[in-house]
């Protein structure tokens, strides 16, 4: 079994900053791409940023130049540094990872439980 556990959500004023963390644990062989998604109230879940095993990154246009995704391969952890937060950034943020497990040897997609980010105007 593989688990993803997020932390770091909270409430901030517009212009503020937060750092999200997500740790993958369990019977892990390799963690491939890791990513953050968010789901605003009443809307669908959308990609925020993704990072490959060799630290190649991609961002949604709405967060470029404000958010930075990074990862620690040794500890199977992904981070999302969010600066200049705006009310439209409000939502539940979910961690995602593509993981090859040890036993059984299968590669699958895993999700965290989500962490709430609320930005007040």
């Amino acid at each position: 079994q593989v688990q993803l556990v997020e932390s770091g959500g909270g409430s901030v004023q517009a212009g503020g900053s937060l750092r999200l963390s997500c740790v993958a644990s369990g019977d892990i062989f390799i963690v491939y791409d890791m990513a953050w998604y968010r789901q605003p109230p009443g809307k669908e879940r959308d990609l925020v940023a993704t990072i490959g095993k060799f630290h190649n990154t991609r961002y949604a246009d709405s967060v470029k130049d404000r958010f930075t995704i990074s990862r620690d391969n040794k500890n199977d952890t992904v981070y999302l540094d969010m600066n200049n937060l705006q009310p439209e950034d409000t939502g539940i943020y979910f961690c995602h990872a593509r993981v090859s497990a040890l036993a059984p040897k299968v590669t699958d997609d895993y999700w965290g439980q989500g962490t709430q980010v609320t930005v007040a105007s």
Side-chain angles (χ1 to χ4, degrees), residues 4-9 18-24 34 36 70 76-82 93-95 113-115:
L4 301 182
V5 178
E6 301 115 332
S7 60
L18 284 173
R19 187 182 220 208
L20 305 182
S21 301
C22 172
V23 180
M34 303 186 83
W36 289 96
S70 60
D76 294 328
T77 301
V78 63
Y79 304 97
L80 185 68
D81 289 294
M82 305 184 291
Y93 283 69
F94 295 90
C95 175
Q113 79 286 355
T115 185

Side-chain angles (χ1 to χ4, degrees), residues 31-96:
V31 179
Y32 296 103
D33 288 358
M34 303 186 83
W36 289 96
Y37 287 73
R38 71 183 175 196
Q39 186 166 14
K43 296 185 178 180
E44 295 185 351
R45 190 179 302 186
D46 288 324
L47 178 68
V48 175
T50 184
I51 184 166
K53 186 170 178 62
F54 300 105
H55 304 274
N56 47 306
T57 60
R58 182 164 57 93
Y59 296 91
D61 288 342
S62 60
V63 306
K64 280 180 181 176
D65 301 323
R66 298 189 299 124
F67 290 11
T68 302
I69 189 170
S70 60
R71 66 187 285 173
D72 176 354
N73 287 337
K74 182 178 179 181
N75 295 300
D76 294 328
T77 301
V78 63
Y79 304 97
L80 185 68
D81 289 294
M82 305 184 291
N83 297 311
N84 191 21
L85 282 160
Q86 300 300 314
E88 53 266 33
D89 295 317
T90 294
I92 302 174
Y93 283 69
F94 295 90
C95 175
H96 169 271

